[in-house]
Coordinates of all heavy atoms in Angstrom, one line a residue:
M1 N -184.4 105.2 5.0 CA -183.1 105.4 5.4 C -182.5 106.7 4.8 O -181.8 107.4 5.4 CB -182.2 104.2 5.1 CG -180.8 104.2 5.7 SD -180.9 104.8 7.5 CE -182.0 103.6 8.2
A2 N -182.8 106.8 3.5 CA -182.3 108.0 2.8 C -182.7 109.3 3.6 O -182.0 110.3 3.7 CB -182.7 108.0 1.4
V3 N -184.0 109.3 4.1 CA -184.5 110.4 4.8 C -183.6 110.7 6.0 O -183.3 111.8 6.3 CB -185.9 110.2 5.2 CG1 -186.4 111.3 6.1 CG2 -186.8 110.0 4.0
I4 N -183.3 109.6 6.7 CA -182.5 109.8 8.0 C -181.2 110.4 7.6 O -180.7 111.3 8.3 CB -182.4 108.5 8.7 CG1 -183.8 108.0 9.2 CG2 -181.4 108.6 9.9 CD1 -183.8 106.7 9.9
E5 N -180.5 109.9 6.6 CA -179.2 110.4 6.2 C -179.3 111.8 5.8 O -178.4 112.6 6.2 CB -178.7 109.5 5.0 CG -178.3 108.1 5.5 CD -177.7 107.3 4.3 OE1 -177.5 107.8 3.3 OE2 -177.6 106.1 4.5
R6 N -180.3 112.2 5.1 CA -180.5 113.6 4.7 C -180.6 114.5 5.9 O -180.0 115.6 6.0 CB -181.7 113.8 3.8 CG -181.4 113.9 2.3 CD -182.4 114.7 1.5 NE -183.8 114.3 1.9 CZ -184.4 113.3 1.3 NH1 -183.8 112.5 0.4 NH2 -185.6 112.9 1.7
E7 N -181.4 114.0 6.9 CA -181.7 114.8 8.1 C -180.4 115.0 8.8 O -180.1 116.1 9.3 CB -182.7 114.1 9.0 CG -184.1 114.2 8.5 CD -184.7 115.5 8.7 OE1 -184.6 116.0 9.9 OE2 -185.3 116.1 7.8
I8 N -179.6 113.9 9.0 CA -178.3 114.0 9.7 C -177.4 115.0 9.0 O -176.8 115.8 9.6 CB -177.7 112.6 9.9 CG1 -178.5 111.8 10.9 CG2 -176.2 112.8 10.3 CD1 -178.0 110.4 11.1
Q9 N -177.3 114.8 7.6 CA -176.4 115.7 6.9 C -176.8 117.2 7.0 O -175.9 118.0 7.1 CB -176.5 115.3 5.4 CG -175.2 115.2 4.7 CD -175.1 114.1 3.7 OE1 -176.1 113.6 3.2 NE2 -173.9 113.6 3.4
A10 N -178.1 117.4 7.1 CA -178.6 118.8 7.1 C -178.2 119.4 8.5 O -178.0 120.6 8.6 CB -180.1 118.9 6.9
R11 N -178.2 118.6 9.5 CA -178.0 119.1 10.9 C -176.6 118.9 11.4 O -176.3 119.4 12.5 CB -179.0 118.4 11.8 CG -180.4 118.8 11.6 CD -181.3 117.7 12.2 NE -182.7 118.0 11.9 CZ -183.5 118.7 12.8 NH1 -183.0 119.0 13.9 NH2 -184.8 118.9 12.5
F12 N -175.8 118.1 10.7 CA -174.6 117.7 11.3 C -173.7 118.9 11.7 O -173.6 119.9 11.0 CB -173.8 116.9 10.3 CG -172.4 116.5 10.7 CD1 -172.2 115.4 11.6 CD2 -171.3 117.3 10.4 CE1 -171.0 115.1 12.0 CE2 -170.0 116.9 10.8 CZ -169.9 115.8 11.6
K13 N -173.1 118.8 12.9 CA -172.1 119.7 13.3 C -171.1 118.9 14.1 O -171.4 118.3 15.1 CB -172.7 120.8 14.2 CG -171.7 121.9 14.4 CD -172.3 123.2 15.1 CE -171.3 124.3 15.1 NZ -171.6 125.3 16.1
C14 N -169.8 119.0 13.6 CA -168.8 118.2 14.3 C -168.6 118.7 15.7 O -168.4 119.9 16.0 CB -167.5 118.3 13.5 SG -166.1 117.4 14.2
T15 N -168.6 117.7 16.6 CA -168.4 118.1 18.0 C -166.9 118.4 18.3 O -166.6 119.0 19.4 CB -168.8 116.9 19.0 OG1 -168.1 115.7 18.6 CG2 -170.3 116.6 18.9
K16 N -166.0 118.1 17.4 CA -164.6 118.4 17.6 C -164.2 119.7 17.1 O -163.5 120.5 17.7 CB -163.8 117.2 17.0 CG -164.0 115.9 17.6 CD -163.5 115.8 19.0 CE -163.7 114.4 19.6 NZ -163.5 114.3 21.0
C17 N -164.6 119.9 15.8 CA -164.0 121.1 15.1 C -165.1 122.1 14.7 O -164.8 123.2 14.2 CB -163.2 120.7 14.0 SG -164.1 120.1 12.5
G18 N -166.4 121.7 14.8 CA -167.5 122.6 14.4 C -167.8 122.7 13.0 O -168.7 123.4 12.5
N19 N -167.1 121.9 12.2 CA -167.4 121.8 10.7 C -168.8 121.2 10.5 O -169.3 120.4 11.3 CB -166.4 120.8 10.1 CG -166.6 120.6 8.6 OD1 -166.8 121.6 7.9 ND2 -166.6 119.4 8.2
E20 N -169.5 121.7 9.5 CA -170.9 121.3 9.2 C -171.1 120.3 8.1 O -172.2 120.1 7.7 CB -171.7 122.5 9.1 CG -171.8 123.3 10.4 CD -172.7 124.5 10.3 OE1 -173.2 124.8 9.2 OE2 -172.9 125.1 11.4
D21 N -170.0 119.9 7.5 CA -170.1 118.9 6.4 C -169.7 117.5 6.9 O -168.7 117.4 7.6 CB -169.2 119.3 5.2 CG -169.8 120.5 4.5 OD1 -171.0 120.5 4.3 OD2 -169.0 121.4 4.2
C22 N -170.5 116.5 6.5 CA -170.1 115.1 6.9 C -170.3 114.2 5.8 O -171.0 114.4 4.8 CB -171.0 114.7 8.1 SG -172.8 114.5 7.7
Y23 N -169.7 113.0 6.0 CA -169.8 111.9 5.0 C -170.4 110.8 5.8 O -170.0 110.4 6.9 CB -168.4 111.6 4.5 CG -168.3 110.3 3.7 CD1 -168.8 110.3 2.4 CD2 -167.7 109.2 4.3 CE1 -168.7 109.1 1.7 CE2 -167.6 108.0 3.5 CZ -168.1 108.0 2.2 OH -168.1 106.8 1.5
I24 N -171.5 110.2 5.2 CA -172.2 109.1 5.9 C -172.1 107.8 5.1 O -172.3 107.8 3.9 CB -173.7 109.4 6.0 CG1 -173.9 110.7 6.8 CG2 -174.5 108.3 6.7 CD1 -175.3 111.2 7.0
E25 N -171.7 106.8 5.8 CA -171.6 105.5 5.2 C -172.4 104.5 6.1 O -172.3 104.5 7.3 CB -170.2 105.0 5.2 CG -170.0 103.8 4.3 CD -168.5 103.6 4.0 OE1 -167.6 104.1 4.8 OE2 -168.2 103.0 3.0
E26 N -173.3 103.7 5.5 CA -174.0 102.7 6.3 C -173.5 101.3 6.1 O -173.2 100.9 4.9 CB -175.5 102.8 5.9 CG -176.4 101.9 6.8 CD -177.8 102.0 6.5 OE1 -178.2 102.1 5.3 OE2 -178.6 101.9 7.4
L27 N -173.2 100.7 7.2 CA -172.6 99.3 7.1 C -173.5 98.4 7.8 O -174.1 98.7 8.9 CB -171.2 99.3 7.7 CG -170.2 100.1 7.0 CD1 -168.9 100.1 7.8 CD2 -169.9 99.7 5.6
A28 N -173.7 97.2 7.3 CA -174.4 96.1 8.0 C -173.4 95.2 8.7 O -172.4 94.8 8.2 CB -175.2 95.3 6.9
M29 N -173.8 95.0 9.9 CA -173.0 94.0 10.7 C -173.7 92.7 10.7 O -174.8 92.6 11.4 CB -172.8 94.5 12.2 CG -172.2 95.9 12.3 SD -170.4 95.8 12.0 CE -170.0 97.5 12.1
T30 N -173.3 91.8 10.0 CA -174.0 90.5 10.0 C -173.8 89.8 11.3 O -172.8 89.9 12.0 CB -173.5 89.6 8.9 OG1 -172.1 89.5 9.0 CG2 -173.9 90.1 7.5
G31 N -174.8 89.1 11.7 CA -174.8 88.4 13.0 C -173.7 87.4 13.1 O -173.4 86.7 12.2
T32 N -173.1 87.5 14.3 CA -172.1 86.5 14.6 C -172.4 85.9 16.0 O -173.1 86.5 16.7 CB -170.6 87.1 14.6 OG1 -170.7 88.1 15.6 CG2 -170.2 87.6 13.3
G33 N -171.8 84.8 16.2 CA -172.0 84.2 17.6 C -173.4 84.0 18.0 O -174.2 83.4 17.3
L34 N -173.7 84.6 19.1 CA -175.1 84.5 19.7 C -176.2 85.0 18.8 O -177.2 84.4 18.6 CB -175.1 85.2 21.0 CG -174.5 84.5 22.2 CD1 -174.6 85.3 23.5 CD2 -175.1 83.1 22.4
S35 N -175.9 86.2 18.2 CA -177.0 86.8 17.4 C -177.3 85.9 16.2 O -178.4 85.8 15.7 CB -176.6 88.2 16.9 OG -175.5 88.1 16.1
K36 N -176.3 85.2 15.7 CA -176.5 84.3 14.5 C -177.3 83.1 15.0 O -178.3 82.6 14.4 CB -175.2 83.8 14.0 CG -175.3 83.2 12.6 CD -173.9 83.0 11.9 CE -173.9 83.4 10.5 NZ -172.6 83.6 9.9
M37 N -177.0 82.6 16.2 CA -177.6 81.4 16.7 C -179.1 81.7 16.9 O -179.9 80.8 16.7 CB -176.9 81.1 18.1 CG -177.1 79.6 18.5 SD -175.8 79.2 19.6 CE -176.4 80.0 21.1
F38 N -179.4 82.9 17.4 CA -180.8 83.2 17.7 C -181.5 83.9 16.5 O -182.6 84.4 16.6 CB -180.9 84.0 18.9 CG -180.6 83.3 20.2 CD1 -179.4 83.6 20.8 CD2 -181.4 82.3 20.6 CE1 -179.0 82.8 22.0 CE2 -181.0 81.5 21.8 CZ -179.9 81.8 22.4
D39 N -180.8 84.0 15.4 CA -181.3 84.5 14.1 C -181.9 85.9 14.3 O -182.9 86.3 13.9 CB -182.5 83.6 13.7 CG -182.8 83.9 12.2 OD1 -181.9 84.4 11.5 OD2 -184.0 83.7 11.8
I40 N -181.1 86.7 15.1 CA -181.4 88.2 15.2 C -181.1 88.9 13.9 O -180.1 88.6 13.3 CB -180.6 88.8 16.4 CG1 -181.1 88.1 17.7 CG2 -180.8 90.3 16.5 CD1 -180.3 88.5 18.9
Q41 N -182.0 89.8 13.6 CA -181.8 90.5 12.3 C -180.4 91.3 12.3 O -179.9 91.6 13.3 CB -182.9 91.5 12.0 CG -182.9 92.7 13.0 CD -184.0 93.6 12.7 OE1 -185.0 93.3 12.1 NE2 -183.9 94.8 13.2
N42 N -180.0 91.5 11.1 CA -178.7 92.2 11.0 C -178.8 93.6 11.6 O -179.9 94.2 11.6 CB -178.3 92.4 9.5 CG -177.9 91.1 8.9 OD1 -177.7 90.1 9.6 ND2 -177.8 91.1 7.6
N43 N -177.8 94.1 12.1 CA -177.7 95.4 12.6 C -177.1 96.3 11.6 O -176.1 96.0 11.0 CB -176.9 95.5 13.9 CG -177.7 95.0 15.1 OD1 -178.9 95.3 15.3 ND2 -177.1 94.1 15.9
Y44 N -177.7 97.5 11.4 CA -177.1 98.5 10.5 C -176.6 99.6 11.3 O -177.3 100.1 12.2 CB -178.2 99.0 9.5 CG -178.6 97.9 8.5 CD1 -179.6 97.0 8.8 CD2 -177.9 97.8 7.3 CE1 -179.9 96.0 7.9 CE2 -178.2 96.8 6.4 CZ -179.2 95.9 6.7 OH -179.5 94.9 5.8
Y45 N -175.4 100.1 10.9 CA -174.8 101.2 11.6 C -174.5 102.3 10.6 O -174.0 102.0 9.5 CB -173.6 100.7 12.4 CG -173.9 99.8 13.5 CD1 -173.8 98.4 13.3 CD2 -174.3 100.3 14.7 CE1 -174.1 97.5 14.4 CE2 -174.6 99.4 15.8 CZ -174.5 98.0 15.6 OH -174.8 97.2 16.6
M46 N -174.7 103.5 11.0 CA -174.3 104.6 10.2 C -173.0 105.2 10.8 O -173.0 105.6 12.0 CB -175.4 105.7 10.2 CG -176.4 105.4 9.1 SD -177.5 106.8 8.9 CE -178.5 106.6 10.4
F47 N -172.0 105.3 10.0 CA -170.8 106.0 10.3 C -170.8 107.4 9.8 O -170.8 107.6 8.6 CB -169.6 105.2 9.8 CG -169.4 103.9 10.5 CD1 -170.2 102.8 10.2 CD2 -168.3 103.7 11.3 CE1 -170.0 101.6 10.8 CE2 -168.1 102.5 12.0 CZ -169.0 101.4 11.7
V48 N -170.9 108.3 10.7 CA -170.9 109.7 10.2 C -169.6 110.4 10.5 O -169.2 110.6 11.6 CB -172.1 110.5 11.0 CG1 -172.2 111.9 10.5 CG2 -173.4 109.8 10.8
S49 N -168.9 110.8 9.4 CA -167.6 111.3 9.5 C -167.5 112.8 9.2 O -168.1 113.2 8.2 CB -166.6 110.5 8.6 OG -166.5 109.2 8.9
C50 N -166.8 113.5 10.0 CA -166.6 114.9 9.7 C -165.6 115.0 8.5 O -164.6 114.3 8.5 CB -166.0 115.6 10.9 SG -165.4 117.3 10.6
T51 N -166.0 115.8 7.5 CA -165.1 115.9 6.3 C -163.9 116.7 6.6 O -163.0 116.8 5.8 CB -165.9 116.5 5.1 OG1 -166.4 117.7 5.5 CG2 -167.1 115.6 4.7
H52 N -163.9 117.4 7.7 CA -162.7 118.3 8.0 C -161.7 117.6 8.8 O -160.5 117.6 8.5 CB -163.2 119.6 8.7 CG -162.1 120.6 9.0 ND1 -161.4 121.2 8.0 CD2 -161.6 120.9 10.2 CE1 -160.5 122.0 8.5 NE2 -160.5 121.8 9.9
C53 N -162.1 117.1 9.9 CA -161.1 116.5 10.9 C -161.2 115.0 10.9 O -160.3 114.3 11.5 CB -161.3 117.1 12.3 SG -162.7 116.5 13.2
G54 N -162.2 114.4 10.3 CA -162.2 112.9 10.3 C -162.9 112.3 11.5 O -163.0 111.0 11.5
F55 N -163.2 113.1 12.4 CA -163.9 112.5 13.6 C -165.2 111.7 13.2 O -165.9 112.3 12.3 CB -164.3 113.6 14.6 CG -164.9 113.0 15.8 CD1 -164.3 112.2 16.8 CD2 -166.3 113.3 16.1 CE1 -164.9 111.8 17.9 CE2 -166.9 112.8 17.2 CZ -166.2 112.1 18.1
T56 N -165.4 110.6 13.7 CA -166.5 109.7 13.2 C -167.3 109.3 14.4 O -166.8 108.8 15.4 CB -165.9 108.5 12.5 OG1 -165.1 108.9 11.4 CG2 -167.1 107.6 12.0
E57 N -168.6 109.4 14.2 CA -169.6 108.9 15.2 C -170.4 107.8 14.6 O -170.7 107.8 13.4 CB -170.5 110.0 15.7 CG -169.8 111.0 16.7 CD -170.7 112.0 17.2 OE1 -171.3 112.8 16.5 OE2 -170.8 112.1 18.5
V58 N -170.8 106.8 15.4 CA -171.5 105.7 14.9 C -172.9 105.7 15.5 O -173.1 105.8 16.7 CB -170.8 104.4 15.2 CG1 -171.5 103.2 14.6 CG2 -169.3 104.4 14.7
Y59 N -173.9 105.5 14.6 CA -175.3 105.5 15.1 C -175.9 104.1 14.6 O -175.6 103.6 13.6 CB -176.1 106.6 14.5 CG -175.6 107.9 14.9 CD1 -174.7 108.6 14.1 CD2 -176.0 108.5 16.1 CE1 -174.2 109.9 14.5 CE2 -175.5 109.7 16.5 CZ -174.6 110.4 15.7 OH -174.2 111.6 16.2
N60 N -176.7 103.6 15.5 CA -177.4 102.4 15.2 C -178.7 102.7 14.3 O -179.6 103.4 14.8 CB -177.8 101.7 16.5 CG -178.5 100.3 16.2 OD1 -179.3 100.2 15.3 ND2 -178.1 99.4 17.0
S61 N -178.6 102.3 13.1 CA -179.7 102.7 12.2 C -181.0 102.2 12.6 O -182.1 102.8 12.4 CB -179.4 102.2 10.7 OG -178.2 102.8 10.3
N62 N -181.0 101.0 13.2 CA -182.3 100.4 13.6 C -183.0 101.2 14.7 O -184.2 101.3 14.7 CB -182.0 98.9 14.1 CG -181.6 98.0 13.0 OD1 -181.8 98.3 11.8 ND2 -181.0 96.9 13.4
V63 N -182.2 101.7 15.6 CA -182.7 102.6 16.6 C -183.3 103.8 16.0 O -184.4 104.2 16.3 CB -181.7 102.9 17.7 CG1 -182.2 103.9 18.7 CG2 -181.2 101.6 18.4
L64 N -182.6 104.5 15.1 CA -183.1 105.7 14.5 C -184.3 105.5 13.7 O -185.3 106.3 13.8 CB -182.0 106.4 13.7 CG -180.8 106.9 14.4 CD1 -179.8 107.6 13.4 CD2 -181.2 107.9 15.5
K65 N -184.4 104.4 13.0 CA -185.5 104.0 12.2 C -186.8 103.8 13.1 O -187.9 104.2 12.8 CB -185.3 102.8 11.4 CG -184.8 103.0 10.0 CD -184.9 101.8 9.2 CE -183.6 101.0 9.3 NZ -183.5 99.9 8.3
G66 N -186.5 103.3 14.3 CA -187.6 103.0 15.2 C -188.2 104.3 15.8 O -189.3 104.3 16.3
H67 N -187.5 105.4 15.7 CA -187.9 106.7 16.2 C -188.3 107.7 15.1 O -188.3 108.9 15.2 CB -186.8 107.4 17.0 CG -186.5 106.7 18.3 ND1 -187.4 106.6 19.3 CD2 -185.4 106.1 18.7 CE1 -186.8 105.9 20.3 NE2 -185.6 105.6 20.0
R68 N -188.7 107.1 13.9 CA -188.8 107.9 12.7 C -189.7 109.1 13.0 O -189.4 110.2 12.6 CB -189.5 107.1 11.6 CG -189.4 107.7 10.3 CD -190.0 106.8 9.2 NE -189.2 105.7 8.8 CZ -188.2 105.9 7.9 NH1 -188.0 107.0 7.3 NH2 -187.5 104.8 7.6
G69 N -190.8 108.9 13.7 CA -191.8 110.0 14.0 C -191.1 111.2 14.7 O -191.5 112.3 14.5
Q70 N -190.2 110.9 15.6 CA -189.6 112.0 16.4 C -188.1 112.1 16.1 O -187.4 112.6 17.0 CB -189.8 111.7 17.9 CG -189.8 110.2 18.2 CD -189.9 109.9 19.7 OE1 -189.4 110.7 20.5 NE2 -190.5 108.8 20.1
L71 N -187.8 111.8 14.9 CA -186.4 111.8 14.5 C -185.8 113.2 14.7 O -184.7 113.4 15.2 CB -186.2 111.4 13.1 CG -184.8 111.3 12.6 CD1 -184.0 110.2 13.4 CD2 -184.8 110.9 11.1
S72 N -186.6 114.2 14.3 CA -186.0 115.6 14.4 C -185.7 116.0 15.8 O -184.8 116.7 16.1 CB -187.0 116.6 13.7 OG -188.2 116.6 14.4
N73 N -186.6 115.5 16.8 CA -186.3 115.8 18.2 C -185.0 115.2 18.6 O -184.2 115.8 19.3 CB -187.4 115.2 19.1 CG -188.7 115.9 18.9 OD1 -188.8 117.0 18.4 ND2 -189.8 115.2 19.3
I74 N -184.7 114.0 18.2 CA -183.5 113.3 18.5 C -182.3 114.0 17.9 O -181.3 114.2 18.6 CB -183.5 111.8 18.1 CG1 -184.6 111.1 19.0 CG2 -182.2 111.1 18.3 CD1 -185.0 109.7 18.5
L75 N -182.4 114.4 16.7 CA -181.3 115.1 16.0 C -181.1 116.4 16.7 O -179.9 116.9 16.7 CB -181.6 115.2 14.5 CG -181.6 113.9 13.8 CD1 -181.9 114.1 12.3 CD2 -180.3 113.1 13.9
D76 N -182.1 117.0 17.2 CA -181.9 118.3 17.9 C -181.1 118.1 19.1 O -180.2 118.9 19.5 CB -183.3 118.9 18.4 CG -184.0 119.6 17.2 OD1 -183.3 119.9 16.2 OD2 -185.2 119.9 17.4
L77 N -181.3 116.9 19.8 CA -180.5 116.6 21.0 C -179.0 116.3 20.6 O -178.1 116.8 21.3 CB -181.0 115.3 21.6 CG -182.3 115.4 22.4 CD1 -182.7 114.0 22.9 CD2 -182.1 116.3 23.6
L78 N -178.8 115.7 19.4 CA -177.5 115.3 19.0 C -176.7 116.5 18.6 O -175.5 116.7 18.9 CB -177.5 114.3 17.9 CG -178.1 112.9 18.2 CD1 -178.2 112.0 17.0 CD2 -177.2 112.2 19.3
F79 N -177.3 117.4 17.8 CA -176.6 118.4 17.1 C -177.0 119.8 17.6 O -176.4 120.8 17.2 CB -176.7 118.3 15.6 CG -176.2 117.0 15.1 CD1 -177.1 116.1 14.5 CD2 -174.9 116.7 15.2 CE1 -176.6 114.9 14.0 CE2 -174.4 115.4 14.7 CZ -175.3 114.6 14.1
G80 N -178.0 119.9 18.5 CA -178.4 121.1 19.1 C -178.6 122.2 18.1 O -178.3 123.3 18.3
Ligands
ZN101 ZN1 -164.5 117.8 12.6

């Protein structure tokens, strides 16, 4: 996970103001309702906030982890 955060930090560019610094916080959403009933694993989300304007994007960490091999391709798509 640390690798993913580093990669995002290195490539981050705010889509709103163009700032290149971000603050990343990872939060776990514990299962509620149906997901708890079916014992689905916790979902982890990364909140990536622009340090200049505060715009925040949320990424599903589980999805990014699943693409570890091609992570840089995906980040190229996100931040070009
Ligand atoms: Zn910004």
Side-chain angles (χ1 to χ4, degrees):
M1 189 45 56
V3 174
I4 295 178
E5 289 180 9
R6 258 206 315 275
E7 287 284 314
I8 290 178
Q9 224 143 23
R11 291 157 181 269
F12 177 81
K13 189 172 187 197
C14 179
T15 55
K16 298 292 180 192
C17 73
N19 180 45
E20 294 184 352
D21 288 318
C22 66
Y23 170 73
I24 299 177
E25 192 166 27
E26 189 177 34
L27 296 176
M29 304 283 178
T30 51
T32 56
L34 282 180
S35 65
K36 195 168 224 165
M37 203 158 74
F38 292 109
D39 197 26
I40 295 173
Q41 69 178 19
N42 288 350
N43 283 312
Y44 289 90
Y45 294 96
M46 271 189 289
F47 289 73
V48 182
S49 299
C50 171
T51 57
H52 181 68
C53 72
F55 180 69
T56 302
E57 287 184 301
V58 184
Y59 298 93
N60 185 319
S61 301
N62 292 341
V63 172
L64 292 183
K65 267 190 270 190
H67 292 297
R68 193 179 284 276
Q70 36 176 326
L71 184 63
S72 60
N73 292 343
I74 291 167
L75 293 178
D76 280 346
L77 288 177
L78 292 176
F79 300 116

